């Protein structure tokens, strides 16, 4: 018996040690995050609660729990926990995400004013965190605060020019007030995210803007209808691209000419963007100001000046159902890789206003 006991006792401590190592907070946290990523939010929350029994002040675990609660649809519980975290641990490193989860939960609870207040508090504390501006913009747009939403989306893309959704939403919101500006945002989105359902919806919107104000009545008649605001010189505005829009409409009318019938969608888009960039960047008017003038125009001008604009337009048109476009993309992988390398190194001009 003593011999057996001597064998069993070390084995007991061996397996106990293994269990302790396997169930340490770090290992459990990884397990909880893995369950969350698989969509098992309840399972993840259960593990987070196990950790919090041992370490009730573990702010990383508390943050992950708010994320799982939100994804699970437990919005009130998520909001309550976020509020408690921000009160007890006002300076912890995960609070950027906590503010976002808190505001999102309040959005789902139909409390937009409270959500905007939370995002604003987060922005005051973390003024360079683009997702706080983006999330506030989403709430503002839903509740018809369009100007505020546009301002926040501009801030979001200036802080993170790679954030595709900010470019997309900004383009959509600008489409009714400034078509040239909207085209720039949608073009930037499609360059970064040229495939998928969102791209398939964004490309027709971009092409419609590029061909707007022009209608083919029949085989012999093409009508260009310019909104009154395009020719009203008394109206002052930033990013005043009205004369450029008029020129674009004239060029769009030529799309119906037989000489242009063989051009594919990317070629036509490239012509229009090249003209837009040329007119705006060469304008001598020193009073021309605005976010698009200082942020987007230098980027697209750099593409044109460095010979990348055509490649960019083919990338934008990836989701177009045209054989010529697909063929070009298939044969020019090198040009596409070169453009993306250029984009990674490009230093965006961040507006100061």
């Amino acid at each position: 018996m003593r011999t057996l006991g001597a064998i069993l006792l070390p084995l007991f401590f061996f397996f106990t040690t293994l269990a302790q190592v396997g169930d340490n907070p770090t290992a459990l946290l990884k397990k909880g995050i893995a369950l969350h990523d698989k969509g098992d939010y309840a399972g993840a929350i259960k593990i987070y609660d196990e950790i919090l029994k041992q370490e009730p002040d573990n702010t990383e675990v508390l943050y992950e729990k708010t994320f799982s609660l939100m994804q699970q649809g437990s919005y009130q519980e998520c909001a309550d926990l976020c509020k408690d975290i921000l009160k007890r641990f006002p300076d912890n490193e995960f609070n950027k995400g906590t503010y976002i989860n808190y505001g999102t939960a309040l959005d789902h609870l139909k409390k937009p004013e409270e959500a905007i207040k939370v995002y604003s508090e987060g922005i005051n504390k973390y003024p360079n965190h683009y997702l706080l501006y983006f999330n506030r913009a989403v709430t503002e747009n839903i509740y018809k605060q369009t100007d505020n939403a546009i301002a926040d989306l501009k801030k979001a893309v200036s802080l993170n020019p790679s954030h595709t959704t900010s470019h997309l939403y900004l383009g959509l919101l600008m489409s009714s007030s400034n078509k040239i500006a909207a085209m720039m945002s949608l073009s930037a989105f499609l360059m970064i995210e040229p495939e998928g359902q969102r791209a398939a919806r964004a490309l027709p919107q971009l092409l419609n803007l590029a061909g707007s104000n022009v209608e083919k009545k029949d085989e012999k008649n093409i009508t260009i209808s310019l909104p009154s605001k395009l020719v009203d010189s008394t109206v002052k505005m930033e990013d005043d691209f009205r004369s450029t829009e008029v020129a674009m409409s004239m060029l769009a009318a030529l799309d119906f000419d037989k000489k242009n019938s063989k051009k594919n969608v990317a070629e036509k888009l490239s012509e229009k963007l090249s003209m837009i960039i040329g007119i705006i960047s060469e304008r001598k008017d020193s009073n021309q100001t605005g976010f698009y003038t200082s942020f987007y125009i230098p980027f697209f001008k750099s593409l044109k000046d460095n010979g990348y604009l055509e490649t960019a337009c083919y990338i934008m048109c990836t989701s177009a159902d045209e054989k010529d476009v697909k063929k070009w993309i298939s044969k020019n992988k090198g040009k596409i890789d070169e453009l993306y390398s250029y984009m990674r190194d490009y230093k965006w001009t961040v507006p100061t206003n």
Side-chain angles (χ1 to χ4, degrees):
M1 289 294 293
R2 285 197 301 269
T3 303
L4 181 60
I7 295 172
L8 290 176
L9 191 60
L11 286 174
F12 171 79
F13 283 115
F14 174 72
F15 285 114
T16 301
T17 302
L18 278 183
Q20 290 172 342
V21 171
D23 292 340
N24 71 70
T26 301
L28 283 172
L29 177 58
K30 290 181 179 179
K31 184 177 178 182
I33 292 173
L35 288 174
H36 175 100
D37 292 342
K38 291 178 181 178
D40 184 1
Y41 307 123
I45 292 167
K46 184 177 180 181
I47 288 178
Y48 298 147
D49 285 340
E50 287 182 33
I51 302 172
L52 292 171
K53 288 177 184 177
Q54 303 174 52
E55 301 180 352
D57 294 343
N58 189 320
T59 53
E60 182 176 7
V61 175
L62 286 166
Y63 163 69
E64 292 294 345
K65 182 178 178 181
T66 68
F67 195 28
S68 293
L69 285 169
M70 185 183 66
Q71 294 296 323
Q72 181 179 253
S74 301
Y75 302 124
Q76 189 60 61
E77 191 175 352
C78 174
D80 292 341
L81 181 56
C82 288
K83 183 178 181 179
D84 181 60
I85 292 170
L86 295 173
K87 181 179 180 179
R88 290 198 294 143
F89 311 103
D91 298 315
N92 92 78
E93 62 182 307
F94 303 101
N95 276 355
K96 292 179 184 178
T98 302
Y99 275 111
I100 291 171
N101 290 344
Y102 191 5
T104 303
L106 291 170
D107 273 333
H108 284 288
L109 292 168
K110 308 299 182 186
K111 298 179 179 180
E113 292 182 358
E114 291 183 39
I116 290 173
K117 182 179 179 181
V118 165
Y119 292 134
S120 298
E121 288 175 0
I123 287 169
N124 287 336
K125 193 153 192 174
Y126 306 103
N128 294 320
H129 190 48
Y130 73 98
L131 281 176
L132 285 165
Y133 293 95
F134 171 77
N135 278 270
R136 187 169 71 175
V138 171
T139 304
E140 289 165 338
N141 182 54
I142 291 173
Y143 294 95
K144 309 302 181 185
Q145 299 177 25
T146 307
D147 290 343
N148 290 341
I150 288 173
D152 275 341
L153 289 170
K154 288 177 179 178
K155 186 65 176 180
V157 292
S158 66
L159 289 171
N160 184 2
S162 297
H163 190 231
T164 55
T165 311
S166 289
H167 288 294
L168 176 60
Y169 284 16
L170 188 52
L172 297 177
L173 289 184
M174 291 296 294
S175 61
S176 61
S177 60
N178 192 327
K179 294 177 182 178
I180 299 296
M183 286 178 64
M184 293 181 209
S185 293
L186 291 175
S187 294
F189 164 75
L190 286 165
M191 288 179 65
I192 306 170
E193 188 179 316
E195 297 182 276
Q197 293 183 351
R198 298 201 307 177
R201 291 194 296 268
L203 179 59
Q205 291 170 320
L206 172 61
L207 298 178
N208 285 337
L209 289 169
S212 58
N213 307 328
V214 180
E215 182 182 2
K216 186 175 182 180
K217 296 290 186 178
D218 51 48
E219 290 300 319
K220 294 183 179 181
N221 296 296
I222 298 170
T223 302
I224 300 176
S225 303
L226 300 178
S228 59
K229 67 177 183 179
L230 291 185
V231 293
D232 186 355
S233 60
T234 62
V235 177
K236 303 299 180 182
M237 57 189 293
E238 287 191 334
D239 292 316
D240 189 349
F241 303 143
R242 287 174 293 180
S243 61
T244 308
E245 185 179 335
V246 172
M248 182 184 68
S249 298
M250 300 300 181
L251 183 59
L254 296 178
D255 287 345
F256 298 103
D257 191 285
K258 289 184 179 180
K259 292 184 294 184
N260 295 318
S261 61
K262 293 184 179 180
K263 292 180 181 178
N264 64 50
V265 64
E267 291 172 322
K268 293 177 182 178
L269 180 60
S270 180
E271 287 180 351
K272 295 181 180 67
L273 287 179
S274 180
M275 183 203 67
I276 289 169
I277 297 161
I279 292 175
I280 297 173
S281 61
E282 293 171 10
R283 184 176 294 170
K284 303 299 182 181
D285 183 1
S286 60
N287 294 322
Q288 177 66 15
T289 60
F291 176 81
Y292 281 85
T293 301
S294 57
F295 183 74
Y296 281 104
I297 287 298
F299 170 66
F300 284 105
K301 185 177 185 300
S302 75
L303 295 182
K304 181 180 178 181
D305 291 347
N306 288 280
Y308 292 123
L309 187 59
E310 179 188 44
T311 301
C313 288
Y314 273 100
I315 291 173
M316 293 177 211
C317 296
T318 297
S319 62
D321 188 20
E322 290 195 13
K323 291 182 180 179
D324 287 348
V325 173
K326 294 178 180 178
K327 184 178 179 181
W328 191 98
I329 290 173
S330 178
K331 287 187 174 183
N332 290 276
K333 298 296 184 183
K335 288 185 177 181
I336 293 172
D337 291 342
E338 185 180 341
L339 172 56
Y340 278 129
S341 177
Y342 177 82
M343 288 173 61
R344 283 192 294 270
D345 294 335
Y346 179 78
K347 304 299 182 185
W348 289 80
T349 303
V350 179
T352 56
N353 56 344

